[in-house]
Amino acid sequence: MGKILVTGANGQLGSELRKLSNQLNKYEWIFTDYQELDLCDLKNLEISIAKINPQIIINCAAHTAVDKAESEVELSDVLNHQSVAVMAKWSHSNDCKLIHISTDYVFDGTASTALTESALTGPINVYGVTKLAGEKACMEENPYAIIIRTSWVYSSFGNNFVKTMSRLMQERDSLSVVNDQIGSPTYAADLAQAIVTILTHETWQAGIYHFSNEGEVSWYEFALAIQENGGFDCLVSGIPSSAYPTPARRPQYSLLDKTKIKNTFGVVVPDYKVSLARCMELLKEA
């Protein structure tokens, strides 16, 4: 029985993959977080992966604290770039398939139409810079890898915008949310399903792909959809990014074009409102 190694297994995407793993039960799934597989230990990383000897690696691990990354540059580079190079090199040498998860933050945010995979990159924060370096290292070390860029990830697991907004809308009378950053949310369960679809597809087509839910919204509009779904009685106002300064700059526009992943693998991309309702239903039951 072949093995699938999932890194960052306790994160949002890793947790959703765990739920879907029975769809691919011809493989033994190995779920690791930093306790079981320390990606920062670059010297021993190759040895550790070789011991597991997977046929497929799904790298969900990353330093995703975007604001913290501005002051944790070295850690961010090790997790988002250098460890990816090691995994890509090992997978290429050992005939192992690699799916690596990247981000819309590799773009500068100056576009005005949905970004295709060939759109020019130009990250504007440390997180984006290290993730782009990871993409490049991945493709250099293993040209047969698949990279999936995603955006605004949320889930019933972990900490995310949907859970934070739901909580704050119940605690407060009013909230202000940024209204000039445009993109699309991604329900991690949908991304996990897309990955399973790719793994079960008859052909492996290497390259970069985009995945987020359908819809073009600002964070403010996304917050309104969360409010509507939860029936929360809270005044939600839109504010410009300039009124909410953060250590890391965010792209103003990073809507991803999903045409390629749909056409290549037959991946189904649900509308963000449909997926949001599914996630919030799970949160109500929790």
Side-chain angles (χ1 to χ4, degrees):
M1 182 189 271
K3 294 175 186 170
I4 297 177
L5 167 62
V6 179
T7 64
N10 295 338
Q12 298 183 87
L13 180 56
S15 300
E16 296 288 4
L17 279 166
R18 200 187 291 264
K19 273 175 77 175
L20 295 183
S21 56
N22 60 354
Q23 287 185 24
L24 263 182
N25 54 16
K26 66 173 181 175
Y27 291 97
E28 179 190 352
W29 289 72
I30 313 284
F31 289 94
T32 64
D33 220 273
Y34 64 90
Q35 297 95 333
E36 300 86 17
L37 184 66
D38 184 1
L39 300 188
C40 292
D41 185 3
L42 295 171
K43 280 197 188 110
N44 294 310
L45 183 53
E46 214 167 315
I47 299 161
S48 303
I49 296 169
K51 277 182 189 162
I52 298 166
N53 193 26
Q55 278 62 60
I56 299 166
I57 297 173
I58 307 170
N59 181 33
C60 305
H63 186 289
T64 55
V66 178
D67 288 322
K68 264 191 180 168
E70 294 296 307
S71 55
E72 296 177 351
V73 180
E74 203 172 319
L75 176 63
S76 195
D77 192 64
V78 168
L79 273 173
N80 296 342
H81 165 215
Q82 294 178 51
S83 66
V84 180
V86 174
M87 279 183 265
K89 188 178 179 183
W90 187 90
S91 61
H92 192 211
S93 306
N94 292 274
D95 200 23
C96 168
K97 290 174 176 168
L98 172 63
I99 295 180
H100 170 61
I101 307 302
S102 193
T103 173
D104 61 319
Y105 279 29
V106 297
F107 298 111
D108 66 5
T110 58
S112 54
T113 55
L115 293 146
T116 64
E117 290 78 0
S118 58
L120 279 178
T121 53
I124 56 172
N125 55 42
V126 169
Y127 172 66
V129 167
T130 56
K131 289 296 284 185
L132 182 59
E135 283 188 13
K136 288 177 176 172
C138 183
M139 280 307 179
E140 277 167 26
E141 296 288 355
N142 187 349
Y144 301 105
I146 285 175
I147 293 172
I148 304 173
R149 292 177 182 146
T150 189
S151 61
W152 303 17
V153 178
Y154 70 92
S155 161
S156 59
F157 299 100
N159 299 314
N160 54 68
F161 186 77
V162 173
K163 289 168 90 170
T164 301
M165 285 294 122
S166 300
R167 176 175 56 79
L168 291 177
M169 284 174 186
Q170 293 172 80
E171 290 173 1
R172 297 186 188 175
D173 297 328
S174 64
L175 269 183
S176 299
V177 183
V178 168
N179 63 6
D180 58 0
Q181 291 170 22
I182 309 295
S184 185
T186 304
Y187 183 24
D190 294 336
L191 178 53
Q193 186 59 62
I195 290 168
V196 170
T197 301
I198 289 169
L199 292 177
T200 51
H201 198 263
E202 64 266 23
T203 56
W204 179 267
Q205 299 279 346
I208 298 175
Y209 296 88
H210 286 173
F211 184 92
S212 64
N213 285 117
E214 296 287 11
E216 179 177 341
V217 288
S218 66
W219 287 106
Y220 166 65
E221 289 165 315
F222 188 28
L224 291 180
I226 294 164
Q227 181 188 36
E228 188 184 344
N229 228 290
F232 303 128
D233 188 22
C234 171
L235 178 66
V236 183
S237 313
I239 56 164
S241 303
S242 56
Y244 187 71
T246 53
R249 284 173 63 208
R250 266 63 171 179
Q252 298 271 228
Y253 185 97
S254 60
L255 181 67
L256 301 173
D257 184 305
K258 276 79 71 172
T259 308
K260 185 180 173 186
I261 202 166
K262 289 191 274 194
N263 290 349
T264 307
F265 299 109
V267 165
V268 176
V269 183
D271 183 82
Y272 86 95
K273 283 194 172 178
V274 173
S275 294
L276 176 63
R278 274 172 56 216
C279 181
M280 289 187 72
E281 200 53 49
L282 285 174
L283 290 173
K284 282 172 198 164
E285 289 166 14

